[in-house]
Each structure stands twice: as C-alpha cells, then as structure tokens.
C-alpha cells in the first residue's frame, strides 16, 4: 500500500479509537448507551441501530445470492424497508415499548411470558432462542470470516479462529455495553462506502441501465450454454453447477423473475423474501430495542433514517451483487461472478478486493467487521439472557448464581456458533439460508403470540402456548422431513424413511414458515376463543389505559 | 430499466416507494410524540442497568 493509503488507515483507526474512548467515558449505564441519556442526535442514534442490525449476513450472504440469482432479490429490500422498518417502527414499536415498561420486561420471552402470566412461555421462548439463534450467529461469523479470508488471503479456519477470539474478547470485556459513537461512525462509513461502491460499479459498467442490459448478454454468454450440459457432469456446489441449478429452478436471467411458482420462485419469494422479510418482526434482539427508547418520538425519527439506511445497504448491495457479473465478465476474462469468486459467499468479498482500491477494501473490511461485532454482541447478549434470565431464573434455582450461568451461557453459545461456522462454510449459500431459517422460525413460533399479545386482549395463555407449540412442531417437521435442502442435509428423514423428503414436487421448495405461520395463527385464534379470557387485572396491567 | 422484467421492475419501484414513505413519515412526525408522562421508565432503566452490569 502507498503512503496515502497508510495515512487514511491510520487516521481511520485513530478516529475510531478516539470515538470509542469518548463514548466509553460518557457511557455510565445502559440507559446512556441505549438512549444516550436522551441527548443524542437522532441521526447518531438511528445509524447506530442500523450498524447493529445490518450485518455481514446481509451484505456478504445475500449480496452473494444476488450475484447468483439476480435482481429478484430486490423484493427482499422492499420487505426490509416496508415491513422491517415502516411496519415495525410505526405499528409495533410503541405498543411494545409501553407494554415492556409496564411489565418490567427486559427480554422478548419475558415480555411474552409476563403478558400471558406464564413462566412456561418465557422458558420455552428462551430455550428456543438458545437452541436456534447460534445458526444466525454462525451466518454472521461466516460472512465476516469470508471477508477476512479475501482481504488477507488466509485460510478460512485460521481466519475464523482469530475472528472468534476477537469476538469473545470483545463480548466478555464489556462489548455488550457498546459505544454508540463508534457504532454511528461505522454506520456512516458503511453508508458512504455503499454509495461509493454503487458509483464505482455504475461507472465501471457504464451506468445502471447499461449495466442491467449487459446482464442479459453475460447470462447468454456464460450461463445459457450450460443448458446443454448434463447436471451430473458438474461438480456439486461448483459455480457452473450452481448456475445450472438456477436454470433448472426456472431462472432465465439476472434481470428476470424466475418462472411463476417454479422452484426458484418459491425459493426467492417464500424463503428469501417472506422468510426474512416477515421474520424480522419477531426478532428477539430487535423487539428488545423498542423497549429501550425514551419516547415514540425516537421511533418516528428512526423511520426516516432507517428507511434511507436500509435502501443504501441492502438495496445497493443486491444491485451491485447482480452487476458484479458484468464487471467480472468485462474485466476478468469473460467469466461471471460465481466463476470468478468460486462460491456464493465469496463473491462480495472477492469483488471488493479485486475491483476496489486497496484502501477502500480495508475501510470496507473494518466497517463490515464492526457491523458483524455489533450484531454478534447483540445476538450473544440475547442468547445469554435467554439462558440466564429466561431459563434458569424461571426454573427456580435460587442457589445458583444466575450471573455465572449467563456468562457460561454466552461462552457456550459462542463455542456452538463458531462450531457451526466451522462445519457449514462449504454449504452453498449457507449465510442466506441459515439467516432465512432463523428468521422464519421466529415468525412461525413467536409472531402470533407477539401480535396477539400486543393487539388482542382476548388472546389467552392457552392460545399463546398452543400457537407456539404448533409453530415449533410444524416448522421442525417441515425442516426435518419435507424441505428440499434442509431435510436432505439433516438426514433424519433418510435415516428413518429411506428418502430425502416425505413429499415430492414443488411443495418441497415451499418454506416452512408458509405452512407453519398460518397454522400457528389459526391455533392462537381458535384456542383463545375456546378458553377462558385472562383476568381484567392482568389486562389492565399490560395495557394500562390503552 | 427497460431490461428488467415486470416482476423485478415492480420490486425496484416498490423499494424506492417504501423508502420515500419512510422519509415522508419520519419528516412529518419528526417532532411529534415526545412526551408520555403515563410511563415511569425509572424502574425499568434501573433493572436494565443491573442486568447489563451482571453480564
């Protein structure tokens, strides 16, 4: 690297260190961190939220899927903004905040448990989070590790080990308190980096319109010839195998939606778009955020900044993801993105390192790693409190040190997440898939109880428990015995019945949430109406004068 | 944008429209809903501090 690049990097690290120190000195308690004593500018606050929510899973994982499957992923950005920001902040944020404060709830399972006066709901929710959330944490870990591998040209497992040690130190040394100013700085850098990335890519491919048009040519030159190739002659998971797979799933170009109700359409719409887009509403770490703002005013302001931030993150990275095919075709010997990078998860890190200036790649790397660390801190915090507060405290172990249990829980969750990241990195599109699975699980299991708890006073404890149990059973059954990818990978169906899936045809491409969520909602309604209403005292405690 | 098919074009414009909706909503409500005296957050804040200190 040249002198200017070194100076930029040193200045960046110095600024980060200074802001971190200032933020740490100003942060005396969690209220200071979460609402910054009520004095922080909403711009800083919203960007710190954004930097925490958008992780390497979104940028590296789903950006890579956009390079593979094209611009149909923009449906996910629409859902991210409309459902994940607008619906969540405008309609769910304030009711959640008020109920959380009234009930003195500090975790998502605790909010549900206290709303229905049920220890079982809190423990069940905590247990599910501890069991399933490592899958999502592993996705974030893999995304960050892939970028380190691409930048430093090092071994994946070595990079994962180093990244994991840094994360563990960060979390255990007080990373949970966080420092809002550095989070906001990362948000600003990510925002600027994404805009710069878009400008550079448009400039390189001749603009947006020209870039999209060239995608058609690149598809014709690099993917269409695979139509005559036998799938069995291709190595499973190889770039050409993945592109051939996308053709057999109904994709005909990066600018087109896959054929209606084809396997590809079901994957993009039910798993990627609806699974993540709807699942975001029941994310435990997101719901808790609503309880930590000072007033509805902060939520109003966060809508504006959040909307812009999300379109600048996922909107740009998905468009850039698909356009990487044009860039590689023109600047890398006529290959498409997957052929150049090697796999879905490697496209964005590989592209940033190949196509962008070295100093830009470094800044991007640090911003991505920081975003991953913010998200991972939040995830491990959620998993730790799920084990300590929602499980062990509710089990009534009075003589056990719950703080120790929580800390052990955090370390255990880190170990499990790292182990999953170690085992799963070779799986095709694993970052996007495991993120989608976790989001869909949360929707199927928690969403009816969460919505009913907030907006339907007639919903009962029995209805909530039945809904959560049905959501869990149906989702687990679908993943273990039906879904084309997960049922095959998990192998339980094969071991018990000798087949990869109990069903056949296109239905095995339908995401578990599409089946489980309606059943879970129906169960909540029917069982609630059949059971005795909750006491007026409990309803008054939950809803106040609302 | 002519090369995008109807489904992708729809996603693109809905994405833009939803971002505009967020901006308009946030701008119109920028200074609204500041005071909610019915809620006492002191006890919640104190408990949250305790949990994070323990962690």
């Amino acid at each position: 690297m040249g002198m200017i690049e070194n100076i930029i990097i040193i200045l960046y690290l110095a600024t980060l260190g200074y802001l971190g120190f200032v933020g740490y000195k100003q942060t005396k308690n969690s209220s200071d961190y979460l609402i910054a004593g009520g004095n922080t500018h909403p711009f800083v606050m919203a960007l710190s939220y954004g930097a925490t929510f958008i992780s390497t899973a979104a940028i590296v994982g789903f950006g890579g899927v956009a390079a593979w499957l094209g611009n149909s992923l923009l449906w996910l950005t629409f859902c991210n903004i409309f459902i994940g920001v607008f619906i969540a902040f405008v309609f769910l944020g304030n009711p959640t905040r008020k109920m959380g404060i009234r009930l003195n709830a500090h975790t998502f399972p605790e909010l549900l448990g206290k709303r229905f006066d049920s220890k079982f709901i809190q423990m069940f929710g905590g247990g599910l989070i501890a069991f399933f959330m490592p899958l999502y944490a592993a996705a974030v870990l893999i995304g960050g590790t892939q970028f380190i591998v691409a930048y430093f040209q090092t071994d994946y497992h070595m990079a994962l080990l180093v990244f994991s040690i840094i994360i563990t130190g960060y979390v255990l040394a007080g990373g949970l308190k966080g420092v809002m100013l550095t989070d906001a700085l990362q948000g600003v850098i990510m925002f600027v980096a994404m805009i710069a990335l878009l400008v550079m890519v448009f400039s390189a491919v001749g603009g947006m319109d020209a870039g999209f048009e060239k995608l058609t040519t690149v598809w014709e030159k690099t993917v269409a010839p695979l139509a005559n190739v036998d799938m069995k002659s291709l190595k499973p998971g190889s770039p050409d195998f993945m592109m051939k797979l996308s053709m057999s799933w109904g994709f005909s170009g990066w600018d087109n939606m896959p054929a209606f109700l084809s396997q590809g359409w079901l994957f993009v719409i039910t798993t990627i778009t609806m699974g993540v887009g709807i699942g975001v509403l029941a994310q435990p770490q997101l719901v808790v955020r609503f309880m930590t703002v000072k007033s509805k005013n902060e939520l109003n302001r966060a809508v504006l900044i959040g909307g812009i931030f999300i379109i600048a993150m996922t909107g740009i990275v998905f468009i850039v993801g698909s356009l990487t095919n044009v860039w590689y075709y023109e600047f890398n010997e006529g290959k498409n993105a997957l052929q150049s990078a090697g796999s879905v998860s490697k496209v964005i890190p590989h592209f940033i390192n190949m196509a962008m200036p070295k100093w830009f790649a470094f800044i991007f790397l640090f911003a991505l790693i920081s975003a991953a660390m913010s998200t991972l801190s939040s995830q491990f915090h959620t998993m730790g409190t799920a084990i300590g507060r929602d499980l062990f405290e509710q089990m009534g172990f009075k003589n056990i040190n719950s703080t120790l249990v929580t800390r052990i829980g955090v370390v255990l969750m880190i170990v499990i997440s790292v182990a999953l990241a170690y085992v799963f990195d070779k799986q095709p599109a694993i970052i996007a898939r495991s993120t989608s699975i976790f989001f869909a699980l949360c929707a199927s299991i928690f969403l009816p109880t969460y919505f009913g708890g907030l907006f339907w006073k007639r919903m009962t404890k029995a209805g909530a428990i039945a809904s959560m149990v049905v959501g869990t059973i149906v989702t687990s059954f679908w993943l273990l015995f039906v879904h084309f990818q997960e049922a095959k990978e998990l192998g339980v169906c094969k071991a018990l019945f000798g087949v990869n899936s109990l069903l056949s045809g296109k239905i095995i491409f339908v995401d578990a949430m599409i089946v489980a969520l309606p059943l879970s909602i129906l169960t909540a309604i029917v069982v609630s109406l059949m059971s005795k209403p909750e006491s007026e005292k409990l309803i008054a405690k939950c809803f106040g004068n609302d | 944008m002519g090369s995008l098919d109807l489904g992708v074009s729809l996603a693109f414009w809905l994405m833009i429209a939803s971002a505009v909706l967020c901006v308009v909503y946030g701008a119109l409500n920028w200074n609204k809903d500041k005071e909610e005296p019915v809620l006492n957050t002191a006890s919640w804040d104190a408990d949250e501090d305790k949990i994070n200190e323990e962690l």
Side-chain angles (χ1 to χ4, degrees):
Chain A
M1 283 185 284
M3 174 76 81
I4 294 175
E5 288 170 342
N6 283 326
I7 290 172
I8 290 172
I9 290 165
I10 290 167
L11 277 176
Y12 170 71
L13 292 176
T15 309
L16 206 62
Y18 174 73
L19 288 178
F21 179 74
V22 170
Y24 184 77
K25 294 294 281 184
Q26 289 178 351
T27 303
K28 296 183 179 64
N29 53 41
S30 67
S31 301
D32 285 342
Y33 169 54
L34 294 166
I35 63 170
N39 295 323
T40 301
H41 194 283
F43 180 76
V44 175
M45 183 180 293
L47 279 183
S48 74
Y49 281 147
T52 305
F53 295 150
I54 295 297
S55 67
T56 49
I59 293 167
V60 176
F62 288 87
V65 173
W68 174 34
L69 301 179
N71 286 314
S72 54
L73 252 74
L74 290 177
W75 281 106
L76 176 56
T77 305
F78 162 62
C79 286
N80 281 338
I81 299 171
F82 186 69
I83 298 176
V85 176
F86 190 77
I87 300 285
F89 280 76
V90 174
F91 296 106
L92 299 182
N94 204 39
T96 305
R97 185 182 71 85
K98 291 202 283 191
M99 191 175 284
I101 292 168
R102 284 191 193 109
L103 296 174
N104 197 28
H106 297 264
T107 67
F108 184 42
E110 189 177 19
L111 175 74
L112 300 181
K114 286 188 170 175
R115 162 64 180 86
F116 294 103
D117 193 23
S118 164
K119 278 189 175 185
F120 174 81
I121 288 178
Q122 185 173 354
M123 290 167 62
F124 189 60
L128 289 172
I129 288 168
F131 190 76
F132 289 116
M133 203 179 229
L135 198 62
Y136 180 30
V140 179
L141 275 170
I142 294 171
T145 306
Q146 290 289 11
F147 213 95
I148 294 172
V149 168
Y151 187 84
F152 292 105
Q153 299 292 307
T154 184
D155 172 61
Y156 173 85
H157 296 126
M158 176 58 71
L160 177 63
L161 179 68
V162 172
F163 190 33
S164 307
I165 291 169
I166 293 170
I167 292 287
T168 307
Y170 179 71
V171 171
L172 292 183
L176 295 175
K177 268 189 168 181
V179 267
M180 202 160 176
L181 290 175
T182 52
D183 268 3
L185 177 68
Q186 310 302 344
V188 170
I189 289 170
M190 290 298 293
F191 186 86
V192 174
M194 282 296 179
I195 300 290
L197 181 65
L198 188 70
V199 171
M200 288 185 203
V201 171
F202 279 172
S203 170
V205 302
M208 185 164 69
D209 278 352
F212 286 157
E213 280 175 18
K214 287 177 185 175
L215 278 174
T216 308
T217 310
V218 180
W219 179 278
E220 291 299 324
K221 297 282 185 189
T222 66
V223 184
L226 294 171
N228 302 320
V229 177
D230 184 4
M231 193 97 170
K232 288 175 185 168
S233 67
L234 300 170
K235 184 186 170 194
S238 66
D240 283 349
F241 177 89
M242 296 299 286
M243 295 317 303
K244 173 77 180 174
L245 186 67
S246 73
M247 290 176 81
S248 67
W249 279 5
F251 286 90
S252 57
W254 288 296
D255 284 339
N256 305 334
M257 287 296 290
F260 184 60
L261 290 182
S262 63
Q263 295 94 324
W265 190 92
L266 292 170
F267 180 68
V268 167
I269 298 300
T270 68
T271 299
I272 301 282
T273 303
M274 296 178 79
V276 178
I278 295 175
V280 72
L281 293 177
Q283 285 297 294
Q285 71 277 22
L286 176 58
V287 171
V288 168
R289 289 279 171 155
F290 294 143
M291 297 185 232
T292 61
V293 293
K294 187 183 167 194
S295 71
K296 188 170 183 284
N297 181 250
E298 274 75 19
L299 297 169
N300 294 341
R301 295 178 176 195
V303 172
L304 186 152
I305 298 156
I308 296 173
F309 190 78
I310 297 296
I311 198 171
M313 295 291 114
T314 62
I316 287 179
V317 86
F318 294 168
I319 289 173
V320 166
S322 65
L323 288 179
T324 55
N325 288 291
V326 176
W327 189 91
Y328 279 117
Y329 182 77
E330 292 189 344
F331 300 101
N332 193 34
E333 301 170 354
K335 294 179 179 174
N336 62 38
L338 258 63
Q339 288 169 337
S340 303
S343 72
V344 172
S345 304
K346 289 177 181 170
V347 171
I348 296 297
H350 189 268
F351 176 74
I352 299 289
N353 280 291
M354 270 201 77
M356 299 292 130
K358 195 73 177 169
W359 63 266
F360 182 88
F362 184 86
I363 300 291
F364 204 89
L365 168 73
F366 262 75
L368 263 186
I369 297 299
S370 302
M373 286 170 80
S374 297
T375 305
L376 285 165
S377 284
S378 172
Q379 289 173 330
F380 290 127
H381 178 276
T382 303
M383 288 186 264
T385 51
I387 292 174
R389 190 173 179 86
D390 296 325
L391 276 173
F392 275 81
E393 276 188 23
Q394 298 309 310
M395 283 176 186
F397 292 122
K398 300 291 182 194
N399 296 327
I400 289 181
N401 183 340
S402 67
T403 305
L404 181 65
V405 170
T406 303
R407 282 175 182 250
I408 292 171
V410 168
V411 174
L412 184 67
M413 291 296 109
I414 291 175
V415 171
I416 292 171
S417 304
V418 172
L420 291 175
Y422 185 90
V423 172
F424 283 161
D425 82 292
K426 291 281 189 278
Q427 288 283 329
I430 185 63
I431 302 174
R433 276 171 50 209
S434 51
T435 304
S436 304
I437 290 172
F438 179 72
F439 275 54
L441 273 165
C442 286
S444 306
I445 297 167
F446 295 124
L447 206 52
T449 300
Y450 177 42
F451 264 64
L454 287 182
F455 301 113
W456 192 31
K457 294 178 183 176
R458 182 64 181 81
M459 185 157 175
T460 64
K461 174 163 63 174
I465 291 173
S467 166
M468 290 174 74
V469 170
V470 166
T472 307
I473 290 172
V474 175
T475 307
S476 305
F477 174 81
W478 202 263
L479 290 173
L480 286 170
F481 297 104
V482 178
H483 197 256
F484 76 102
Q485 190 77 47
E486 276 60 57
K488 184 182 171 187
E489 301 289 347
L490 293 167
V492 177
C493 188
K494 181 84 172 176
L496 291 177
F497 303 108
V499 289
N500 286 329
S501 174
L502 290 180
L503 301 179
S504 59
K506 289 177 184 172
I507 195 165
I508 66 173
F509 284 80
V510 173
D511 193 75
M513 189 195 77
I514 303 300
V515 180
L517 183 58
L519 290 174
S520 174
I521 292 171
L522 190 66
T523 305
I525 295 170
V526 171
V527 176
S528 290
L529 292 175
M530 289 172 62
S531 51
K532 189 182 161 193
E534 298 298 332
S535 70
E536 288 185 10
K537 189 181 168 190
L538 176 64
I539 296 299
K541 188 181 172 188
C542 297
F543 290 90
N545 297 322
D546 291 349
Chain B
M1 302 295 296
S3 56
L4 301 182
D5 77 354
L6 181 64
V8 176
S9 294
L10 190 61
F12 181 86
W13 289 112
L14 282 172
M15 172 185 82
I16 302 290
S18 57
V20 171
L21 177 68
C22 288
V23 170
V24 171
Y25 178 89
L28 291 176
N29 295 283
W30 191 259
N31 284 316
K32 286 185 182 171
D33 309 311
K34 282 185 177 174
E35 300 297 330
E36 283 179 294
V38 289
L39 287 175
N40 178 10
T41 59
S43 138
W44 191 94
D45 288 342
D47 280 5
E48 184 70 6
D49 290 342
K50 186 167 171 281
I51 292 167
N52 283 335
E53 285 298 326
E54 286 178 354
L55 267 172

